[in-house]
Amino acid sequence: MIIKAIDAINEFVGRIVVVLAVLFAAIIIYDVIMRYALNAPTRWAFDLSKQLYGFYFILLGAYALKHQAHVRVDLLLERFPSGVQRVVEILGYVIFFFPFTWVFLTRSYDFASTSWAQGETTYGAVALPIYPLKAALCVAAALLLIQGVSEVLKLIFGRQEIVQ
Amino acid sequence: MTGLGGESIALIMFGLLVLGLMMGHPLAFVLGGTAVLGALIAGKPMVLGIVINRIFGDVIDNYTLIAIPLFVLMAQFLSNSGVTDKMFESLRLLMSNVRGGLALAVVFISILLAATTGIIGASITVMGVMALRPMLQYGYAPTLTTGVIAASGCLGILIPPSIMLILMASYSPLSVGELFAGAMLPGVILGLLYAGWVAIVAAVRPDMAPSVQPDDMPPRRELVLMLLKEAMPPLLLIFGILGSLLAGIATATEASAIGAALALAIVIARRRFTLAGFYDALKETGKTSAMILFIVVGATAFTGVFNITGGLRATQEIIRGLDMEPWMLMTVMMFIVFILGAFLDWTGIVLLSFPIFLPIVQEMPSVDLLWFVVLMSIVLQTSFLTPPFGYALFYLRAIAPKEVKTTDIIKGVLPFIGLILLMCVAVALVPGLVTWLPATLYR
Amino acid sequence: QDNWMMTTTWPSSLELIEFDKHFVDLANKLTGDTLTIDFFEGGSLVPAGEVFGAVQSGTVQAGADWPGYWAGRDAAFTPLATTPALFNAVDYVNWIQQWGGREFYEKTYGEFGMVYLPYGVTNNESGFHTNKSMTTLEDLQGMRLRVSGNEQGRILERLGGSQVSMAGGEVYQSLERGVIDGGEFSTPNVDYSAGFQQVTTHWSTPGWHQSASVFGVAINKGAWDALDADTQEKLRIAADATMLWSLSFTEKRATEAYSKWDEEVTVERYTDEALAEVQNVANEVIVEVSCESPTAGAVYLSMAEYLGNYSQWREASAPYNLGRTPNGPSIEELQACVDG
Ligand code: NA
Ligand code: NA
């Protein structure tokens, strides 16, 4: 139940966020055309495309985890019996994943709320608000953390049965 | 100072890295987790704030890295449309008289791709998606296949434009232009060395790089037409990207967006566009980009904690304790870079070693700084290929089918590591390989 | 016995880091055993753009910077860092030390829980490096120029050029390939080490977009308060000493670099008419920004008041004086903005 809910959330977020790539590609190309052909570069394309890219990849971390897309070395692991494999994989989450995502979540919460309170903007040609992006960092950490919970539950209860 | 000394922290953090990798945990989180544990073990939990500062500043607020999802998107558009598979089939047939023709095609197309971008993850993914399946299908040995793709894919970081050279310029007194010019010849020559090696393997071991069966061969006229139709669009795409760069229409980052748009245009022009296929490409791009960029996230967290807990300082002191002849010290430094390359990514190595090495090198009148930095960037080519921690190995592992063993990939890259070291010796003996072009262009 | 970690926005390759090193060196000598500042070069702990946040949160105790980077948090940081066509380096020193400027640093950084010690000034930045002669405003029309900063962009666009925003690392290549028609980066010595002389043929002086700049160190308030008064005093002494050193140091380095530039590219001055028009537009933009942001307005007003107050003696002592009295923005207009 929890597993299904978490997976559904990250699948939903992922399927929306992947489309952002088209958006920032289009903005960059628009800016190139405006600058090269019309000699009128936009003031906003640089900061806006950079921000969209930020939203894009950081929010996709959990989606990639759900699809097991994060690179790992299976050199030793694939030689162990499946029971040992599962225990070692769970330990990996406990030792590395959760400490990292916990720090990622708590520190990015402070980071985002400071920026939000200051109403921080970019300082270049245009003043775009920057706190939504910093808030997205915190949301991304939360999504990643719950997806980790889902993955560990899958390991405990056996991934095969769940996927069926 | 409270807590452990720098040497102990350095040892513990490297130990944790190796442990996490052996446990088969995703690399991105092993790096990030090691950063957190390293800070805790050092007794400095308060420094963990830099993890978020670094993720935001180095990875999110970084215009250059936009090129990663865009080049991946370009590759996805091409592969999902089937254009690239056909292109390789055409190239295979074109090179049917040449032994190892497909592997040679991989090298030459990689050199071209290298001249459009400097992002290893993207280059290897493009080449992997394009060439891996066709090569295995036509009976190439998995070792040669993965080796040639991994090694050639790394040329992008050596042949300009390259984000690594840009970073190196910003952390040294050298200009981007000098570094680009300095790395150009060694990069291209290294690519040609790969091609030479492929030719030798194909001659000595035809079973590893088979030639095309005669009954596969279509009539000559049909082959020429097929080539024009299938092989030209992707090549035009590469020249389109290079052209927009050289004609001064776009920056390297912008050229990646142009590349993606051109790839989409090719798909549409060839009537292979479907909305479902388009959306699939977006989803795959999202996963691959997140995978690559989260490794950068983990690496930046790791490097920051490594520096702040004193691992860097400890390493500095050891090097400065050595009292050696210039050539001996150069060899030792390059050896250290080589060893570090087995464990760290180039960002980490550049950020770690430049502050230690460059002041020492600048003090030596007999050593040219440009030559030193380019030599180091050649040595860094091995960092993508040396286990346990070679990003090219990981990227390739991620896209290779299960039948290809990880050990095949590692065995496959070994000869190419040898070729890189051979290139290093050549550059050490003939410094003109590095210094001639910058001197000609800028003096 | 305190131990501080201090970082900076500058990588080791940018000469601006010399200010920070000079300050740290002096401070460590003066404070002896009571305070040790451990200095980490830019990028090794946190990226340049995150130095402010890292000091504010107390992750590091001190961070060297150029205040303009933080203008997204408060527009007042821009005039604390630089002015278009207004102050020279000595004006900044005068204003900070004797005309009340220091209070604006304390107040603006104080809002974010930090103490600020300004300790570096540089005079005029280079200006635009281009591939064609540019001495009049007609020459500037339609030029796509890389320039950073909000005020700077507004001035350029009113003069008829186009602001292109671009990461520092992309400027060289974009100049080389003509993606942009020209660009500015920093002072002559820094621009020379960035290699712009290799990819441009002309350089237009003076750099009106940044007539002078200020650098210094932001210190976490908690860390500062933990020091005894004596140590705080010693840090202020180190900062003031570094400021004087920085002025002559960069002027020397810029002089050396200028002669190299002069050999390799065509160096040309804008005409006096062009500079007069730049001044008018800069004044307009300064007033405009002051009306949008009362905190920035208060700083600009104080600067204009200094210029007015100092002008009589400065002109009486001409030509043996320190710089020029600019025909700057009107005090009345700025006052009206600040009063709302
Ligand atoms: Na490249
Ligand atoms: Na490696």
Side-chain angles (χ1 to χ4, degrees), chain B residues 170 245 248 253 307 313 442, chain C residues 13 38 44-45 50 170 172 177:
Chain B
S170 78
L245 274 171
T253 307
N307 288 349
R313 298 275 164 92
Y442 296 126
Chain C
S13 60
D38 211 358
S44 64
L45 300 187
E50 295 297 314
E170 284 190 322
Y172 178 94
R177 299 217 166 106

Side-chain angles (χ1 to χ4, degrees), chain A:
Chain A
M1 190 56 211
I2 297 172
I3 297 174
K4 273 189 182 157
I6 293 173
D7 283 8
I9 291 170
N10 275 318
E11 188 63 32
F12 178 76
V13 172
R15 283 176 180 236
I16 292 171
V17 173
V18 293
V19 180
L20 286 179
V22 178
L23 227 55
F24 59 77
I27 289 171
I28 291 171
I29 290 168
Y30 175 80
D31 190 40
V32 171
I33 293 171
M34 291 302 285
R35 187 185 62 226
Y36 185 74
L38 304 171
N39 230 14
T42 66
R43 294 165 63 89
W44 44 267
F46 178 77
D47 283 310
L48 187 61
S49 53
K50 194 166 69 173
Q51 282 212 8
L52 287 173
Y53 146 82
F55 281 109
Y56 173 77
F57 96 83
I58 201 77
L59 287 171
L60 286 176
Y63 178 68
L65 182 62
K66 177 183 177 265
H67 289 275
Q68 298 294 315
H70 287 292
V71 170
R72 53 206 208 124
V73 187
D74 46 11
L75 206 61
L76 277 180
L77 202 62
E78 65 190 7
R79 296 175 188 193
F80 292 145
S82 77
V84 179
Q85 267 187 36
R86 269 160 56 180
V87 172
V88 171
E89 281 198 59
I90 292 168
L91 276 177
Y93 277 94
V94 173
I95 299 173
F96 295 101
F97 183 90
F98 289 115
F100 173 67
T101 43
W102 180 252
V103 166
F104 189 10
L105 178 67
T106 52
R107 298 294 174 140
S108 65
Y109 178 79
D110 298 341
F111 185 70
S113 48
T114 307
S115 174
W116 201 288
Q118 293 167 1
E120 190 187 352
T121 62
T122 56
Y123 81 97
V126 285
L128 285 182
I130 213 164
Y131 47 88
L133 181 57
K134 292 192 170 177
L137 197 60
C138 183
V139 172
L143 290 175
L144 194 58
L145 186 67
I146 59 170
Q147 190 60 45
V149 171
S150 167
E151 296 305 315
V152 168
L153 291 176
K154 283 178 207 167
L155 286 167
I156 292 172
F157 298 113
R159 192 169 277 140
Q160 277 72 22
E161 294 103 89
I162 302 297
V163 171
Q164 281 167 12

Side-chain angles (χ1 to χ4, degrees), chain B residues 316-324:
Chain B
Q316 270 177 334
E317 275 157 32
I318 293 167
I319 306 267
R320 286 188 177 134
L322 301 169
D323 189 28
M324 289 176 170

Side-chain angles (χ1 to χ4, degrees), chain B residues 4 12 21 26 82 92 94 157 196 302 320 409 433:
Chain B
L4 293 168
I12 290 170
L21 286 177
R92 176 186 68 111
L94 173 75
I157 206 100
F302 176 87
R320 286 188 177 134
I409 302 179
L433 289 173

Side-chain angles (χ1 to χ4, degrees), chain C residues 46-128:
Chain C
V46 294
E50 295 297 314
V51 167
F52 190 93
V55 176
Q56 192 185 10
S57 67
T59 305
V60 295
Q61 286 73 29
D65 70 353
W66 176 69
Y69 284 144
W70 325 125
R73 290 167 167 94
D74 185 338
F77 281 113
T78 301
L80 294 180
T82 187
T83 58
L86 205 64
F87 269 23
N88 67 24
V90 170
D91 287 324
Y92 263 119
V93 175
N94 285 344
W95 176 68
I96 288 170
Q97 305 236 0
Q98 297 293 335
W99 266 269
R102 189 187 295 280
E103 286 158 37
F104 289 99
Y105 291 87
E106 306 260 329
K107 183 165 177 291
T108 313
Y109 279 88
E111 296 285 330
F112 300 92
M114 287 180 262
V115 172
Y116 196 74
L117 305 180
Y119 62 50
V121 281
T122 59
N123 231 342
N124 195 209
E125 287 216 337
S126 314
F128 292 114

